[in-house]
Amino acid sequence: MADAGPDGNGNRTGNRAGNGAGDGTRDGNGGRRVELSEVPETLLWNLYMRAAEARRARTVLDDPKAVELVDRVDYPFEETFGTPSPLLAQGQALRVRTFDTAVRAFLDEHPDGTVVTLAEGLETQYWRVDNGRARWLCVELPETAEVRRALLPDEERRRTLARSALDLSWRDEVDPARGVLITAQGLLMYLRPTEVKDLIAGCAERFRGGALVFDAVPRWFSARTMRGEMRTARGYSPPPMPWGMDAGELPKVRTAHPAITDVREVPPPRGRGFYYGVLAPLMRWLPAVRNLRPTMTAIARFS
């Protein structure tokens, strides 16, 4: 498997998400049993990687909530995904921090705004960056919404909506008066290209003055998942990712809707070691190799 690992937070919109279902019961040891498959199962991979990095003494991501969740969930993490690779875990954590940076910047400008997270699964960003004033809406497929509510119960300012991200009626649940930021972390690559365009256009149409933060995998990465060539040592294979976009194609996102005024990459922070501390930051600037990076995070702003 390439450095990014399965890039999804556990949700596929529509009915193609697989046949798994969240299980809100507890096992005999008091752990919360979770049973998911296909794309929804990737939320557990992401959680596992974040927690593995967060446990390190010199971690790049302070995420005690992720560690708590892994300890609470009854799921065969190691049997399914293998022993966490330090390189993969750090890469996942740095991607997460890139989203955190964008959300913090939004909250600095709009402290009473709304953060809409599309298909974040068991992401624990709220506990890392919340300012005590903003509203949070998590849009999840019903099966993952069930898991999220069981493990991360809704609060006064944070709630989970059981709905497909492609069902744009979720927009009616958002008050745009104080600013809106939408995040799609680990979601778009699991959609068809036309679905990606429609979702971005739907956000731009409704939330003028807002923004969408999203990530993408390059075309080579997408192609390998479509051929089933990405596997861990334990045999776990991430679901196919139909949508890929190379770094040089980022300006094309503006064609999704006239209200999109700016699209630019959000650089990840420097990490630990030679690859994430030296090589990865350089790759972003070198045209010959920038598309070799397994993920890219970007922000699209709306007029």
Side-chain angles (χ1 to χ4, degrees):
M1 182 173 293
D3 292 344
D7 265 336
N9 281 316
N11 283 305
R12 168 73 175 216
T13 56
N15 294 322
R16 300 184 305 280
N19 299 318
D23 188 332
T25 61
R26 293 183 179 273
D27 67 5
N29 298 318
R32 179 72 64 174
R33 185 164 62 246
V34 175
E35 296 177 358
L36 296 165
S37 65
E38 300 295 332
V39 175
E41 191 174 31
T42 64
L43 72 84
L44 295 165
W45 186 93
N46 290 331
L47 174 65
Y48 186 44
M49 291 297 115
R50 290 202 318 277
E53 174 60 31
R55 293 181 197 271
R56 293 183 62 96
R58 294 179 55 242
T59 183
V60 300
L61 181 71
D62 184 18
D63 198 348
K65 196 69 174 179
V67 175
E68 174 194 326
L69 285 178
V70 168
D71 290 343
R72 286 172 55 197
V73 168
D74 172 27
Y75 178 82
F77 287 100
E78 187 166 351
E79 291 87 345
T80 303
F81 306 126
T83 302
S85 159
L87 191 68
L88 291 179
Q90 185 181 179
Q92 173 67 11
L94 292 173
R95 184 187 75 162
V96 164
R97 278 187 55 191
T98 307
F99 277 82
D100 286 359
T101 296
V103 175
R104 285 193 180 99
F106 167 76
L107 294 179
D108 286 344
E109 294 184 12
H110 306 276
D112 297 304
T114 299
V115 179
V116 181
T117 61
L118 302 179
E120 71 170 354
L122 290 179
E123 173 58 67
T124 48
Q125 184 179 71
Y126 172 84
W127 288 266
R128 295 191 303 268
V129 306
D130 178 58
N131 64 356
R133 295 167 58 179
R135 299 284 175 176
W136 294 71
L137 178 67
C138 312
V139 181
E140 304 286 339
L141 283 177
E143 64 181 301
T144 50
E146 179 185 353
V147 171
R148 183 171 177 88
R149 287 182 182 134
L151 293 168
L152 301 169
D154 288 359
E155 302 174 9
E156 181 181 357
R157 293 183 297 102
R158 178 184 58 81
R159 67 187 180 97
T160 299
L161 178 67
R163 198 166 300 173
S164 164
L166 289 183
D167 177 357
L168 294 179
S169 66
W170 62 259
R171 300 177 302 176
D172 299 333
E173 305 286 331
V174 182
D175 180 2
R178 298 180 179 179
V180 176
L181 178 71
I182 305 134
T183 70
Q185 182 182 171
L187 168 66
L188 300 188
M189 61 281 297
Y190 293 108
L191 307 180
R192 299 189 185 102
T194 55
E195 293 173 329
V196 172
K197 183 176 180 179
D198 290 346
L199 179 57
I200 294 175
C203 293
E205 175 66 30
R206 178 65 65 89
F207 301 114
R208 301 299 179 97
L212 168 69
V213 185
F214 64 94
D215 55 353
V217 298
R219 290 184 179 274
W220 70 263
F221 194 105
S222 169
R224 289 194 64 186
T225 67
M226 297 299 286
R227 295 192 298 265
E229 296 176 356
M230 310 293 279
R231 289 187 177 274
T232 67
R234 290 293 181 97
Y236 173 78
S237 179
M241 301 178 188
W243 183 68
M245 181 179 67
D246 291 340
E249 298 178 291
L250 198 54
K252 293 182 180 179
V253 175
R254 293 184 61 177
T255 66
H257 194 277
I260 302 174
T261 57
D262 181 53
V263 184
R264 64 184 61 187
E265 186 173 350
V266 183
R270 287 183 181 270
R272 185 181 59 245
F274 176 74
Y275 180 76
Y276 289 116
V278 179
L279 186 58
L282 285 176
M283 291 175 69
R284 179 170 171 258
W285 298 104
L286 299 175
V289 296
R290 63 179 179 172
N291 290 331
L292 297 180
R293 297 172 300 158
T295 62
M296 170 182 63
T297 302
I299 184 168
R301 300 187 184 278
F302 313 140
S303 63

